[in-house]
Amino acid sequence: MNILKFKKNIVILLTSALLFSAPSVSYAKVLNMDLTYNGKTHRYSAEEINIRVNGDIITEYTVPPISINDRTYIPARDVFEKLGASVLWNDQERKVHISQGNNIVTLTIDSNIIVANGNNVTMDVPAMIVNDRTMIPVRYAAEALGYYVGWDNNTRTVIISENESDVVVDNNTGNNSGNNTQNPPTTDSSFENLSVVSIDTQKDMSDMTSFTIRTNSKMSEVQDFIVAGNKLVVDFYDATMKIPSSTITVDNNPYVKSIRSAQNQTTPRRITRGVFDMTADHNYSI
């Protein structure tokens, strides 16, 4: 059982508690621009996202990395050519082909399917055309090419590297290793229940709200990361969702407005995802 808790001075114990604090001060540049996709123009305002590939920060983009539907989208050519990959666009089929060595990845615009070396993998968001540029979900494509992907929330940086050690981040706002585990367990855990529990009134934790996730066994891997500044994503690997995808509204809570849960993906590894819609950019650590 994993218990997720939110409080002023936070500490997160991975197998027991998830805790949140008051908003932190952010100094990242805020991007304000219009984005055109899916036939509509959307006003975008969010802190900028950095991309670091094999130790180097990318400084020039045709379209900057953005967050849409809780996912980081990157301009395919700007990033993957920096990794030495070949990026080809088929306008007639609306497909982008990324190849490097023996790896070939194909994404189709508006499709949730990525074809990695002939195998179909379902993404939770599709590739898109944004401001006339091909934008793709960063993690799926990078990991399909054999790279490790991580997230440093302190600097809002996506880390893409050939070396696993480069993407292990441990800072005051979370640990998102982005590990591409080579030997996942052969058995799944079950994600049995997600619920809001009563306020904890312990003397030393007087301002705490508890959220409980019940599972039938210990999780093989748990990763967390922040998107759009105020959404905490917690991924449970090798976990099968045993409850319907749902949204829980949290009333009168200073830290969390709602919680969403769903089976995020089934291949190549099962991931059950919980998204905590926070009231602000709260600090947290695990």
Side-chain angles (χ1 to χ4, degrees), residues 1-5 10-20 169-170 173-177 179 191 205 211-215 217-225 232-237 272 274 276 284-286:
M1 179 173 67
N2 297 311
I3 302 174
L4 294 83
K5 299 181 179 180
I10 65 170
V11 175
I12 301 175
L13 306 176
L14 186 58
T15 58
S16 61
L18 179 62
L19 311 172
F20 281 77
V169 176
D170 187 7
T173 52
N175 180 348
N176 177 33
S177 65
N179 291 347
F191 190 97
M205 296 182 176
F211 300 90
T212 301
I213 293 175
R214 290 186 175 87
T215 62
S217 63
K218 182 180 179 180
M219 289 291 145
S220 64
E221 181 182 352
V222 180
Q223 294 185 10
D224 64 277
F225 51 96
L232 169 66
V233 179
V234 185
D235 281 347
F236 298 84
Y237 279 72
T272 294
F276 291 76
Y284 76 98
S285 62
I286 288 182

Side-chain angles (χ1 to χ4, degrees), residues 266-278:
T266 57
T267 58
R269 294 179 68 181
R270 291 187 179 274
I271 297 178
T272 294
R273 169 165 294 168
V275 178
F276 291 76
D277 295 308
M278 300 185 293

Side-chain angles (χ1 to χ4, degrees), residues 171-223:
N171 55 41
N172 291 330
T173 52
N175 180 348
N176 177 33
S177 65
N179 291 347
N180 184 1
T181 301
Q182 301 300 312
N183 297 299
T186 57
T187 58
D188 281 351
S189 300
S190 294
F191 190 97
E192 305 286 350
N193 180 266
L194 172 63
S195 60
V196 180
V197 192
S198 60
I199 302 294
D200 191 319
T201 56
Q202 297 180 48
K203 185 175 180 180
D204 59 339
M205 296 182 176
S206 59
D207 190 14
M208 181 185 294
T209 303
S210 300
F211 300 90
T212 301
I213 293 175
R214 290 186 175 87
T215 62
N216 71 340
S217 63
K218 182 180 179 180
M219 289 291 145
S220 64
E221 181 182 352
V222 180
Q223 294 185 10

Side-chain angles (χ1 to χ4, degrees), residues 95-112:
K95 291 183 177 181
V96 58
H97 303 277
I98 307 171
S99 61
Q100 187 175 39
N102 295 324
N103 296 314
I104 301 176
V105 177
T106 300
L107 300 96
T108 303
I109 299 304
D110 299 329
S111 171
N112 286 63

Side-chain angles (χ1 to χ4, degrees), residues 28-204:
K29 176 183 177 182
V30 175
L31 296 179
N32 293 289
M33 56 185 175
D34 290 331
L35 299 179
T36 301
Y37 56 92
N38 295 336
K40 296 181 179 179
T41 298
H42 309 260
R43 186 60 181 168
Y44 182 84
S45 180
E47 292 181 351
E48 67 177 350
I49 297 171
N50 300 300
I51 306 290
R52 188 169 78 218
V53 295
N54 287 330
D56 296 325
I57 292 290
I58 298 177
T59 58
E60 296 182 359
Y61 301 97
T62 52
V63 176
I66 54 178
S67 177
I68 299 177
N69 296 330
D70 299 342
R71 283 290 170 268
T72 298
Y73 278 81
I74 60 170
R77 191 177 300 278
D78 292 350
V79 173
F80 286 99
E81 286 186 348
K82 292 291 193 302
L83 290 166
S86 173
V87 181
L88 300 175
W89 168 249
N90 186 318
D91 189 61
Q92 184 176 359
E93 296 182 349
R94 290 167 58 82
K95 291 183 177 181
V96 58
H97 303 277
I98 307 171
S99 61
Q100 187 175 39
N102 295 324
N103 296 314
I104 301 176
V105 177
T106 300
L107 300 96
T108 303
I109 299 304
D110 299 329
S111 171
N112 286 63
I113 301 298
I114 178 174
V115 183
N117 296 321
N119 298 313
N120 289 353
V121 177
T122 301
M123 304 183 293
D124 55 354
V125 290
M128 296 195 300
I129 297 294
V130 180
N131 291 4
D132 297 324
R133 297 293 178 181
T134 303
M135 302 290 283
I136 63 176
V138 58
R139 182 178 294 273
Y140 291 99
E143 289 185 345
L145 289 173
Y147 289 93
Y148 296 94
V149 182
W151 170 256
D152 184 346
N153 193 68
N154 280 350
T155 59
R156 291 183 59 79
T157 300
V158 176
I159 306 165
I160 306 173
S161 179
E162 298 171 345
N163 301 312
E164 182 179 8
S165 59
D166 293 342
V167 304
V168 177
V169 176
D170 187 7
N171 55 41
N172 291 330
T173 52
N175 180 348
N176 177 33
S177 65
N179 291 347
N180 184 1
T181 301
Q182 301 300 312
N183 297 299
T186 57
T187 58
D188 281 351
S189 300
S190 294
F191 190 97
E192 305 286 350
N193 180 266
L194 172 63
S195 60
V196 180
V197 192
S198 60
I199 302 294
D200 191 319
T201 56
Q202 297 180 48
K203 185 175 180 180
D204 59 339

